[in-house]
Amino acid sequence: MQRRTVIDSPIGPLTLTADERGALTSLSMAGWRARSPASGHNDDLSGFEEVIEQLHAYFERRLDRFEVEVAPAGNAFNRSVWQLLREIPFGETRSYGELAVALGDKSLARAVGTACGANPIGVIIPCHRVIGADGSLTGFGGGLETKEYLLHLENPDRPLKPRLFD
């Protein structure tokens, strides 16, 4: 049975779920593409202490790399993209095309975008660090304002190019 809890954060409530081993299976934000956990989950902080501590440290800029066990559900391609996302250093960004090239095929940029959109563990698997090739902010399930907040939190000196069309 999955465990579930909700915590407060500077970007609003975060819903965390973990499997029976304690591995994080989802971290979703308010409005996060209707990824609310199924009913039958128990609200209980036990077992979530480490991830909560790391999230607080991240939002206070005292942590730049999460060290929690994750178990995101997804196909092999999505999991390979999510692994690349975890390798993007704190305060840096990559474009969808750069990630596609890292996967060995520059034509996979749209598929990378789809995988980013399917990411079940926001913030910790940092899909917010993926931007358009021209440096513009692009879609984000938590909203572009949240994406901008997270990018600014990680690198306050980096200028961000706003998205012109939604």
Side-chain angles (χ1 to χ4, degrees):
M1 179 169 160
Q2 294 249 327
R3 292 176 295 118
R4 170 190 180 271
T5 195
V6 178
I7 63 168
D8 289 326
S9 81
I11 57 174
L14 301 177
T15 302
L16 310 170
T17 60
D19 63 19
E20 60 282 346
R21 298 174 303 116
L24 196 64
T25 55
S26 72
L27 184 159
S28 55
M29 301 163 231
W32 185 258
R33 291 185 295 286
R35 288 192 193 148
S36 57
S39 61
H41 294 230
N42 298 320
D43 280 316
D44 183 358
L45 292 178
S46 65
F48 289 102
E49 296 89 356
E50 183 63 30
V51 69
I52 291 170
E53 182 179 317
Q54 287 188 36
L55 284 164
H56 286 305
Y58 168 80
F59 285 116
E60 293 168 0
R61 299 194 83 233
R62 295 184 292 110
L63 179 91
D64 60 11
R65 182 164 179 82
F66 289 96
E67 298 294 337
V68 296
E69 184 180 358
V70 296
N75 64 40
F77 179 79
N78 285 356
R79 287 192 313 271
S80 67
V81 171
W82 300 335
Q83 181 57 43
L84 283 178
L85 296 177
R86 291 196 81 187
E87 295 168 11
I88 302 172
F90 181 90
E92 294 185 22
T93 58
R94 300 289 184 274
S95 71
Y96 298 97
E98 288 172 314
L99 294 176
V101 168
L103 291 168
D105 185 349
K106 67 180 181 179
S107 71
L108 293 173
R110 285 192 185 272
V112 167
T114 300
C116 288
N119 174 16
I121 305 177
V123 181
I124 292 172
I125 298 177
C127 54
H128 63 275
R129 294 180 187 156
V130 183
I131 60 174
D134 65 354
S136 64
L137 296 182
T138 54
F140 182 65
L144 291 180
E145 299 81 17
T146 300
K147 183 172 188 162
E148 184 174 18
Y149 176 90
L150 294 170
L151 292 172
H152 183 74
L153 171 80
E154 293 184 11
N155 187 347
D157 298 325
R158 181 187 172 121
L160 299 173
K161 184 176 182 180
R163 184 173 179 176
L164 299 177
F165 304 99
D166 287 331

